[in-house]
Amino acid sequence: MIFGIHPVREAIEAGTEIEKIYFRKTAGESLTAADRTNAGAASALREQAEEAGIHIQEVPVEKLNRLTRNGNHQGVAAVIAAISYKDINELAEELEAQIAAGEAPLVMLIDSVTDIRNFGAIARSAECAGVAALIMPAKNSAPVNAEAIKSSAGALTLIPVSRVGSLKGAVALLRNIGMQCVAATEKSDTLVYETDFTRPTVIVMGAEDKGISRDILNLCDMRACIPLAGRIESLNVGAAAAVVLFEARRQRFEQG
């Protein structure tokens, strides 16, 4: 955590990986003269953060006081990312080279998974299954923090993670280099066991409550479901990801 207008600005300009920036919510609050002085600089910083694609959130001053332990935050605090993210274009180039060499990379793309424990479980299963990279949205996603790393048993420090502003753009890019996109969803009559995962594949998993968004679902090449025999309608996304990943791993193992 870093705080204060100038330290946060310097971190952005230095290219520091920033998970999120909290700005003081000023609507309806009484401001001191110092607060009003900082407001202009904080507004300019907010524009800079938005241009850099950094997720921002407005919070009451009480939360900023707690986060900074009553430090001189000037209405701004930033959470530094616990890992270095992989650029999606650089990742695509590496995957394309692997495909050209006759390999079949496996990638996991998660659409708005916000629960840290599920996110960590997905990363752990992905690393154990030999996934080449994990792709996640910059917004509406679980933070990559110490708790997430612990939930992943350290997998998030081992597997490349790409955080993108547009999941649609990422899907289009990966399809363009020759990867098929398979949506893991109950909205399918095709079982995961009937799906060919031996090809270069992006497995798409959706949010815990809403599943994969319609826009992303429509971009996928195919949909596959996990057959359930019990009375509960679905697995949580962490368990579902493990099932799909290791079905892909099984197929590749049998193929040799």
Side-chain angles (χ1 to χ4, degrees):
M1 178 74 69
I2 57 173
F3 52 89
I5 292 171
H6 295 299
V8 174
R9 178 185 295 117
E10 290 171 357
I12 294 173
E13 293 173 352
T16 303
E17 294 281 2
I18 296 176
E19 192 73 35
K20 179 188 294 186
I21 300 179
Y22 294 103
F23 286 89
R24 177 179 178 175
K25 184 186 295 183
T26 56
E29 293 189 358
S30 59
L31 302 178
T32 65
D35 292 334
R36 288 191 292 271
T37 299
N38 292 327
S43 178
L45 178 63
R46 180 172 183 149
E47 291 181 7
Q48 186 178 8
E50 289 175 341
E51 289 176 2
I54 299 169
H55 181 44
I56 63 176
Q57 182 178 346
E58 289 191 349
V59 297
V61 67
E62 290 80 8
K63 179 165 183 175
L64 285 171
N65 291 339
R66 290 195 303 271
L67 290 171
T68 63
R69 298 182 181 179
N70 293 313
N72 183 24
H73 51 71
Q74 299 176 304
V76 179
V79 180
I80 302 301
I83 63 171
S84 294
Y85 292 102
K86 185 85 169 179
D87 179 76
I88 186 62
N89 294 302
E90 181 182 342
L91 173 62
E93 289 179 4
E94 293 176 1
L95 294 171
E96 188 173 23
Q98 292 176 26
I99 294 169
E103 300 177 24
L106 186 63
V107 169
M108 172 65 76
L109 185 147
I110 52 175
D111 181 4
S112 303
V113 173
T114 57
D115 183 88
I116 287 180
R117 288 171 294 181
N118 277 333
F119 174 59
I122 292 171
R124 182 174 185 173
S125 294
E127 201 285 326
C128 290
V131 166
L134 190 65
I135 299 173
M136 59 187 289
K139 297 181 179 180
N140 300 320
S141 187
V144 182
N145 56 19
E147 185 179 351
I149 291 173
K150 181 179 179 181
S151 295
S152 75
L156 285 166
T157 65
L158 300 173
I159 187 171
V161 179
S162 182
R163 190 172 62 166
V164 298
S166 169
L167 282 183
K168 290 173 62 177
V171 170
L173 177 62
L174 296 176
R175 290 183 67 199
N176 192 50
I177 64 171
M179 300 191 74
Q180 66 171 351
C181 288
V182 178
T185 172
E186 72 279 5
K187 301 171 184 177
S188 174
D189 294 325
T190 303
L191 302 181
V192 291
Y193 311 124
E194 300 167 332
T195 305
D196 182 5
F197 288 108
T198 62
R199 297 170 51 194
T201 301
V202 181
I203 296 174
V204 182
M205 305 296 304
E208 297 89 347
D209 52 351
K210 299 178 181 179
I212 301 168
S213 63
R214 184 177 296 277
D215 287 346
I216 300 300
L217 200 57
N218 290 339
L219 285 176
C220 291
D221 299 287
M222 62 192 72
R223 305 177 187 186
C225 69
I226 299 168
L228 301 176
R231 286 177 288 180
I232 296 176
E233 294 182 355
S234 64
L235 296 169
N236 72 43
V237 66
V243 171
V244 179
L245 282 167
F246 281 92
E247 169 57 20
R249 186 76 265 151
R250 181 194 66 79
Q251 291 184 19
R252 289 161 181 243
F253 177 79
E254 290 185 352
Q255 186 186 49

